[in-house]
């Protein structure tokens, strides 16, 4: 089967803080370690000492020891994890990137071929002859997307979903913790044959997390991802909550879910001190600021009137390699906000 020539995207490696701070970068002070749960709430990865030959991934068995060589990645979190694990040369196509690839920990990563700006179809995906498809969301694996997982398996193509994105009972982290994120990275190291790199990545992230000084002002926050009529926001058990906890912020949305839609009336009633804005290639932070300031109701929010915004790239708002660095960035941005 002829190979397609795919466009390349450059990979930018930066320091942990500056990779995510879209305003001016400044150093964060060392501090106490934010608390995490004592044990992961998702099935953990077998250690190198384990005799396990597979992992249970959202209800699908994924074998260990195959070390996939031709991988298609879907979503930024999947692509960036493999790059940080030193496996960029195995990525034959990446898709559905939420913005520029921006690695928090420097690594010698190749440019990544882009298959599609959005969710690719089966034909385009299969044309790359992958032996593994790594998706950031379960919904990536559908008949309208890269293909259903059982159908892919019949074709001899393995599939893997970020465990933090599993929604089935018994698999979804509740709540997501940094222990879960670290276990996810270690599991990926086992699945893709990069255990040592995974251990180093976890150590780098833990070092960043250990250096966080949470904001101590008791600030409340809204994590605003998208939506005009009804804002789609970070809820109480997902990655936004995990990072807000570590940064010293109180989420004004107390809904038992990872993400949820709320009303603007409820946001106005809560009047958060700070609004965390998700910056995506398809829905920028600047566009959300303009919409907030143009809307009569939201223009009355104290955070809008005083321009108290914290900006986080989309990929940093989902469980992945950017989370610890994102907390540092959030705290740094909070320190630059004038309140009172």
């Amino acid at each position: 089967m002829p190979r397609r020539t795919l466009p390349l995207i450059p990979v930018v490696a930066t320091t942990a803080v500056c990779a995510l701070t879209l305003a001016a970068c400044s150093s964060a002070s060392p501090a106490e370690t934010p608390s995490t749960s004592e044990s992961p709430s998702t099935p953990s990865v077998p250690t190198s000492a384990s005799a396990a030959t597979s992992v249970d991934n959202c209800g699908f068995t994924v074998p260990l020891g195959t070390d996939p060589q031709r991988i298609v990645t879907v979503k930024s979190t999947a692509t960036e994890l493999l790059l940080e694990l030193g496996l960029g040369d195995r990525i034959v196509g990446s898709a559905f990137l939420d913005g520029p690839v921006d690695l928090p920990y420097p690594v010698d990563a190749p440019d990544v071929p882009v298959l599609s700006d959005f969710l690719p179809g089966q034909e385009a995906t299969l044309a790359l002859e992958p032996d593994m498809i790594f998706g950031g969301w379960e919904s990536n694996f559908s008949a309208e997307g890269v293909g259903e997982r059982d159908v892919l398996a019949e074709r001899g193509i393995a599939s893997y979903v970020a465990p933090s994105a599993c929604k089935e009972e018994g698999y979804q982290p509740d709540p997501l913790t940094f222990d879960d994120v670290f276990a996810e990275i270690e599991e990926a190291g086992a699945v893709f044959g990069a255990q040592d790199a995974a251990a180093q990545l976890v150590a780098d992230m833990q070092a960043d997390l250990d250096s966080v000084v949470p904001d101590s002002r008791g600030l409340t926050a809204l994590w605003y991802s998208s939506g005009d009529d009804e804002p789609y926001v970070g809820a109480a058990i997902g990655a936004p909550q995990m990072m807000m906890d570590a940064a010293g912020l109180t989420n004004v949305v107390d809904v038992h879910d990872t993400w949820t839609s709320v009303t603007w009336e409820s946001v106005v009633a809560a009047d958060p001190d700070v609004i965390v804005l998700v910056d995506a290639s398809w829905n920028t932070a600047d566009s959300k600021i303009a919409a907030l300031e143009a809307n009569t109701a939201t223009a009355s929010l104290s955070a809008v009137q005083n321009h108290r915004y914290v900006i986080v790239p989309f990929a940093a708002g989902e469980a992945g390699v950017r989370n610890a660095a994102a907390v540092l960035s959030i705290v740094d941005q909070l320190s630059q906000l004038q309140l009172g």
Side-chain angles (χ1 to χ4, degrees):
M1 183 177 294
R3 303 275 188 243
R4 293 182 56 193
T5 300
L6 301 177
L8 301 179
I9 54 173
V11 176
V12 180
T14 64
T15 63
V17 178
C18 294
L20 292 168
T21 304
L22 302 187
C25 288
S26 63
S27 61
S29 304
E32 60 193 83
T33 305
S35 62
T36 60
S37 70
E38 294 182 357
S39 60
S41 56
T42 52
S44 61
V45 57
T47 66
S48 57
S50 172
T53 58
S54 64
V55 295
D56 182 355
N57 177 236
C58 304
F60 280 78
T61 299
V62 178
L64 301 178
T66 61
D67 296 356
Q69 298 298 308
R70 296 185 59 81
I71 307 168
V72 169
T73 57
V74 185
K75 299 299 293 180
S76 292
T77 48
T79 302
E80 291 176 352
L81 175 53
L82 290 193
L83 289 172
E84 287 282 19
L85 294 181
L87 304 178
D89 58 346
R90 299 190 195 176
I91 300 175
V92 295
S94 62
F96 215 163
L97 299 177
D98 305 297
V101 171
D102 202 353
L103 305 179
Y105 309 103
V107 64
D108 185 15
D111 290 341
V112 178
V114 178
L115 171 60
S116 172
D117 290 336
F118 298 100
L119 181 62
Q122 294 184 57
E123 183 177 357
T125 304
L126 296 178
L128 298 179
E129 300 180 1
D131 54 12
M132 168 70 82
I133 302 174
F134 179 14
W137 294 345
E138 280 188 290
S139 59
N140 299 153
F141 294 95
S142 65
E144 296 74 27
V146 299
E148 296 169 317
R149 297 186 75 179
D150 53 352
V151 175
L152 290 170
E154 292 172 359
R155 293 174 173 265
I157 301 171
S159 61
Y160 185 69
V161 174
S164 56
C166 296
K167 300 291 284 185
E168 291 83 358
E169 184 177 354
Y171 291 97
Q172 182 180 40
D174 185 7
L176 180 74
T177 69
F178 273 99
D179 285 338
D180 295 322
V181 175
F182 295 158
E184 179 171 314
I185 291 170
E186 290 168 349
E187 180 172 285
V191 169
F192 295 100
Q195 291 93 329
D196 291 345
Q200 182 59 57
L201 177 55
V202 168
D204 290 339
M205 292 180 68
Q206 184 65 66
D208 270 348
L209 202 58
D210 289 344
S211 72
V212 171
V213 181
D215 193 279
S216 60
R217 290 172 288 181
L219 302 177
T220 60
L222 175 76
W223 191 292
Y224 176 27
S225 178
S226 61
D228 295 322
D229 296 333
E230 290 189 337
Y232 191 62
V233 300
I237 66 170
Q241 182 69 56
M242 175 185 74
M243 289 182 282
M244 283 192 280
D245 285 342
L249 293 172
T250 297
N251 191 354
V252 298
V253 178
D254 187 18
V255 174
H256 193 85
D257 205 343
T258 51
W259 298 89
T260 190
S261 293
V262 296
T263 65
W264 284 120
E265 288 79 9
S266 66
V267 173
V268 171
D271 195 20
D273 297 313
V274 174
I275 299 177
V276 180
L277 298 171
V278 175
D279 192 46
S281 58
W282 42 269
N283 189 342
T284 67
D286 285 343
S287 69
K288 282 191 272 286
I289 290 173
L292 287 168
E293 295 179 348
N295 183 300
T296 303
T298 55
S300 67
L301 291 168
S302 57
V304 175
Q305 291 181 350
N306 294 283
H307 304 283
R308 293 199 294 262
Y309 302 118
V310 169
I311 298 174
V312 175
F314 188 102
E318 299 191 313
V321 301
R322 298 201 205 188
N323 293 156
V327 175
L328 281 170
S329 174
I330 290 167
V331 170
D332 180 58
Q333 292 181 69
L334 288 173
S335 72
Q336 299 175 47
L337 297 179
Q338 299 297 319
L339 291 99

